[in-house]
């Protein structure tokens, strides 16, 4: 996505994956992931925060909802390959409440 993004543009991600806040929930996702992936083609226990950080995007904003399993991420292509990733999180990072406040 970085190479397709307009200069000054942003990459908006709305994803679901494992919860960093609720281990019991991630344990359930891990347990049922193979059957869920076989039936639906969706791997629902991926570490979305780690994937986003490793992607090379400069993360401007990251927030989670639904017990930490739904991620809203705003990123931009890095100016250079070695640019640092920065993250601003919302006060709703616990995943217990939410909305789409923050940068758009």
């Amino acid at each position: 996505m970085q190479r397709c993004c307009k200069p000054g543009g942003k990459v908006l991600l709305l994803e679901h994956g494992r919860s960093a806040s609720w281990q019991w929930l991630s344990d359930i996702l891990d347990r049922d992931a193979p059957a869920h992936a076989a039936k639906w083609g969706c791997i629902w226990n991926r570490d979305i925060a780690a994937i986003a950080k490793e992607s090379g995007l400069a993360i401007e904003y990251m927030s989670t909802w639904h017990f930490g399993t739904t991620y809203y991420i705003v990123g931009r292509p890095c100016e250079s390959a070695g640019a640092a990733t920065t993250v601003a999180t919302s006060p709703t990072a616990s995943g217990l409440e939410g909305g789409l406040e923050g940068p758009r």
Side-chain angles (χ1 to χ4, degrees):
M1 286 188 270
Q2 291 190 72
R3 67 180 175 79
C4 300
C5 192
K6 292 181 182 180
K10 297 185 186 254
V11 176
L12 306 178
L13 302 171
L14 184 61
E15 274 291 340
H16 63 91
R18 72 180 303 105
S19 173
S21 305
W22 301 86
Q23 187 58 46
W24 64 267
L25 182 55
S26 289
D27 292 343
I28 293 169
L29 294 176
D30 290 343
R31 182 193 69 206
D32 297 339
H36 183 78
K39 184 174 183 177
W40 300 104
C42 168
I43 302 171
W44 66 6
N45 65 336
R46 289 185 173 148
D47 187 345
I48 301 302
I51 292 169
K53 290 173 186 173
E54 292 169 5
S55 73
L57 286 174
I59 299 172
E60 295 180 351
Y61 180 81
M62 183 184 317
S63 183
T64 62
W65 292 273
H66 306 125
F67 295 97
T69 62
T70 302
Y71 293 75
Y72 173 57
I73 301 170
V74 178
R76 61 179 165 68
C78 288
E79 298 295 324
S80 66
T85 300
T86 59
V87 177
T89 59
S90 80
T92 62
S94 68
L96 294 176
E97 52 190 55
L100 290 180
E101 68 270 6
R104 297 208 164 119

